[in-house]
Amino acid sequence: MREALKEAKNALGQTSPNPAVGAVLVVDNQIVAKGYHRGAGRDHAEVECLRDFGAPVPAHATLYVTLEPCSTEGRTAPCTDAMLQAGIKNVVVGAIDLNPRHSGKGIVRLRNAGVNVREGILADECAQINEAFNKWIVTGRPFVIAKCGMSLDGRLTRPAVEPHWITGRSARSHARELRAHVDAVLVGAETVRADNPRLTIRGTRSARQPWRVVLTHSGKLPRRARLFSDRLAARTLIYKGRSLAGVLKNLGKRGMTNVLIEGGGEVLSQALDARLIDKVQLYLGPILTGGPVIAFAGRGATNAANALRLRRVSYRRIGQSVCITGYPEVLPSK
């Protein structure tokens, strides 16, 4: 299953609004074929894997797949049908598909056909790789990642003299890799005015450019900004006078499963105050800047008990910067 997970990771950022899935075929304890879902409308991982094998499947072979095989027809035929036609007799499944159209039905279909199915193998890891899809398919709202580079005193303010970056080159490169895994990158109008960002994928193998989304109160934006004048201008969306929650809902309706908020401080604050953040990825640079532009200002928590706390926190040193990743705790309903 870990090898199947490696295959699934090849699909990250390429399959939306479908999940990333990997599969491997094992015969006599040897992996003889691999496959992953390469994009919406293309063959699913199981079919890719069976094609990679390219021969009649022995009865004692086992197909490992990170996500429950689909049993309904969409852009492609049901994977369960392809597996049964290939003569698969043993299947190991990682996570159950949360899509209400599919959930549990693929496993039932296979078992009713006499296939030996084991489920729940590395289930948490297999589910986490599709954390964005899992939220979107159940709620209709995209998975929201809040990302920024900040000083040790929590500022986004850049010093007035060179070098003007808060974090190092390697940390900035690492941060840009996130763009290759999301459907949209979202910023506020002030970030467009002050930084004139590209919000493009650079330095990665991915050719899939996410949508670029701008929130503005006034609608007064510099028309010569890169977002509106470069070769990707058609992939820029402008939302005027809309709440962040409303924008995210609309992006979900457009089939965007995950959104990366890259700034600035006002948008990040809105996301924090409204508890719209599903994951944070912060880059701390070894610098103290002071200044008025705070990364997460907003209204603030009335006390420590009401603060947004993170779980599954990880720390990674990248050059002289530190990357902190975590997931906000979900508070129980009153």
Side-chain angles (χ1 to χ4, degrees), residues 212-227:
R212 304 179 298 187
V213 180
V214 180
L215 272 58
T216 173
H217 295 298
S218 66
K220 297 178 180 179
L221 296 165
R223 303 313 303 175
R224 292 186 179 181
R226 293 185 178 109
L227 297 182

Side-chain angles (χ1 to χ4, degrees), residues 2 14 16 26 33 50 106 123-125 133 147 154 162 167 198 223 240 288 295 308 317:
R2 293 199 184 281
Q14 307 300 314
S16 186
V26 175
L50 293 172
D124 289 345
E125 294 177 53
F133 170 82
K147 188 273 291 186
E162 298 293 341
T167 57
R198 294 183 178 89
R223 303 313 303 175
K240 178 184 175 183
L288 297 167
L308 187 146
R317 180 171 174 176

Side-chain angles (χ1 to χ4, degrees), residues 48-299:
E48 284 272 342
C49 183
L50 293 172
R51 181 186 298 115
D52 183 49
F53 186 56
V57 178
H60 62 286
T62 300
L63 182 67
Y64 290 76
V65 59
T66 57
L67 187 69
E68 174 185 10
C70 66
S71 57
T72 59
E73 185 160 352
R75 297 185 186 183
T76 60
C79 294
T80 50
D81 288 1
M83 293 161 64
L84 293 174
Q85 290 171 6
I88 294 292
K89 299 297 183 184
N90 303 285
V91 176
V92 178
V93 174
I96 301 299
D97 192 344
L98 295 185
N99 186 339
R101 294 182 60 212
H102 303 158
S103 188
K105 297 175 183 177
I107 290 176
V108 170
R109 170 85 172 92
L110 292 172
R111 284 177 173 159
N112 286 345
V115 177
N116 175 39
V117 181
R118 292 176 61 198
E119 58 185 278
I121 307 303
L122 298 183
D124 289 345
E125 294 177 53
C126 290
Q128 185 175 355
I129 200 172
N130 285 309
E131 58 189 6
F133 170 82
N134 289 341
K135 178 188 177 182
W136 176 79
I137 199 65
V138 172
T139 69
R141 298 189 302 274
F143 186 88
V144 178
I145 306 170
K147 188 273 291 186
C148 68
M150 65 171 69
S151 63
L152 292 176
D153 52 345
R155 263 61 175 184
L156 301 179
T157 310
R158 295 177 178 180
V161 296
E162 298 293 341
H164 63 273
W165 294 107
I166 288 176
T167 57
R169 183 187 299 272
S170 56
R172 298 196 303 274
S173 177
H174 184 270
R176 281 196 297 268
E177 291 177 7
L178 270 175
R179 295 176 188 167
H181 294 161
V182 299
D183 297 327
V185 180
L186 185 150
V187 297
E190 191 55 37
T191 296
V192 176
R193 297 186 189 106
D195 296 348
N196 193 17
R198 294 183 178 89
L199 304 183
T200 54
I201 295 175
R202 303 191 294 278
T204 70
R205 292 179 299 173
S206 174
R208 185 173 174 272
Q209 168 64 39
W211 286 90
R212 304 179 298 187
V213 180
V214 180
L215 272 58
T216 173
H217 295 298
S218 66
K220 297 178 180 179
L221 296 165
R223 303 313 303 175
R224 292 186 179 181
R226 293 185 178 109
L227 297 182
F228 313 127
S229 59
D230 65 10
R231 63 183 179 84
L232 297 168
R235 289 190 68 79
T236 300
L237 300 173
I238 301 173
Y239 287 87
K240 178 184 175 183
R242 300 277 294 273
S243 70
L244 178 57
V247 170
L248 292 172
K249 184 177 181 180
N250 182 262
L251 295 178
K253 288 182 178 179
R254 289 171 173 260
M256 300 186 199
T257 64
N258 47 11
V259 174
L260 176 64
I261 298 178
E262 289 212 14
E266 182 180 348
V267 179
L268 290 169
S269 297
Q270 289 180 43
L272 175 62
D273 286 343
R275 294 299 193 262
L276 297 173
I277 300 171
D278 297 297
K279 182 178 182 179
V280 298
Q281 190 148 323
L282 309 178
Y283 295 84
L284 293 181
I287 187 173
L288 297 167
T289 71
V293 185
I294 301 174
F296 294 88
R299 297 189 301 269

